[in-house]
Amino acid sequence: MQTSDPKADLHHYLKTVRASLLWKLDGLSEYDVRRPLTPTGTNLLGLVKHLAGVELGYFGDTFGRPSGEPLPWLEQDAEANADMWATPDESREQIIALYRRAWAHADATIEELPLDATGEVAWWPADRNPVSLHRVLVHVLAETNRHAGHADIVRELIDGAVGRQDNDLLPGTDETWWTDYRERLEQAAQKQAGHR
């Protein structure tokens, strides 16, 4: 049996999901990485921008290790949801580079501090503070995976691309199979709801 290193395991999964999230942008136009595809405006580049701020905040400020990165969309007077979309002045390259710098800053914190190191999450209520690096690592991993799931759906809506960069777990079937499969699910849902 292989021994486990909890910090290394969590860090590995965070690194994997980060790369998968950026992979969802590959091959898409500027319009496609920016366009809102849900009623609440969810878009691929906005998810990356948001997660850059998440990592810089949780692995930086929380542990007294500010990155020095200017994040105007997180200022007190910023417009609501300003971290969830890319303005025309923000290029894809700038946002991806910011996310990669956030990774480097977070990785340094994760590597240098023990899992039981404590910090304060300024935007959390007092009863949830102080927090350990372990708890923050789990929290950020969960949030990143949640947003990577959003990215999966948004990318599928854009061009039908599905799966993961490192492991395509979907059945190797053709478009007809998927159309039939979806119709079967629709019929089952309607039958259960009493529509037929």
Side-chain angles (χ1 to χ4, degrees):
M1 182 167 140
Q2 188 176 13
T3 60
S4 177
D5 175 350
K7 184 165 79 166
D9 292 344
L10 292 168
H11 199 185
H12 166 76
Y13 282 105
L14 180 59
K15 289 176 179 179
T16 300
V17 73
R18 287 169 174 165
S20 292
L21 179 67
L22 285 187
W23 181 63
K24 291 296 177 178
L25 278 63
D26 284 358
L28 293 178
S29 69
E30 281 300 316
Y31 173 69
D32 284 336
V33 297
R34 295 167 180 270
R35 68 178 166 137
L37 284 161
T38 69
T40 57
T42 304
N43 64 91
L44 293 171
L45 204 52
L47 292 169
V48 173
K49 181 179 174 180
H50 171 70
L51 286 169
V54 165
E55 291 215 24
L56 290 169
Y58 279 106
F59 293 114
D61 299 335
T62 294
F63 295 99
R65 301 166 60 93
S67 68
E69 290 282 351
L71 304 176
W73 52 87
L74 297 180
E75 296 296 326
Q76 194 78 12
D77 61 346
E79 158 188 351
N81 268 5
D83 65 325
M84 297 299 292
W85 63 287
T87 69
D89 296 336
E90 296 169 326
S91 73
R92 174 196 319 223
E93 293 76 19
Q94 289 171 321
I95 291 174
I96 290 172
L98 173 65
Y99 193 34
R100 290 186 186 280
R101 289 192 306 275
W103 295 0
H105 190 75
D107 289 347
T109 297
I110 294 165
E111 290 163 8
E112 292 172 22
L113 299 180
L115 281 178
D116 61 356
T118 59
E120 299 279 331
V121 180
W123 51 96
W124 283 10
D127 65 338
R128 292 180 60 195
N129 278 300
V131 295
S132 66
L133 176 62
H134 180 262
R135 184 170 181 194
V136 167
L137 192 48
V138 170
H139 178 83
V140 172
L141 179 58
E143 183 163 348
T144 305
N145 271 292
R146 179 174 172 253
H147 290 312
H150 296 148
D152 288 340
I153 293 167
V154 169
R155 179 64 191 251
E156 185 175 354
L157 290 170
I158 291 169
D159 66 358
V162 295
R164 288 184 6 205
Q165 175 183 16
D166 61 339
N167 186 0
D168 186 357
L169 300 174
L170 297 170
T173 56
D174 63 15
E175 189 175 328
T176 302
W177 186 90
W178 283 109
T179 301
D180 293 345
Y181 171 75
R182 189 183 181 291
E183 180 57 31
R184 234 177 0 149
L185 271 58
E186 178 64 30
Q187 289 174 6
Q190 288 185 17
K191 182 176 180 182
Q192 180 63 28
H195 292 158
R196 286 198 175 174

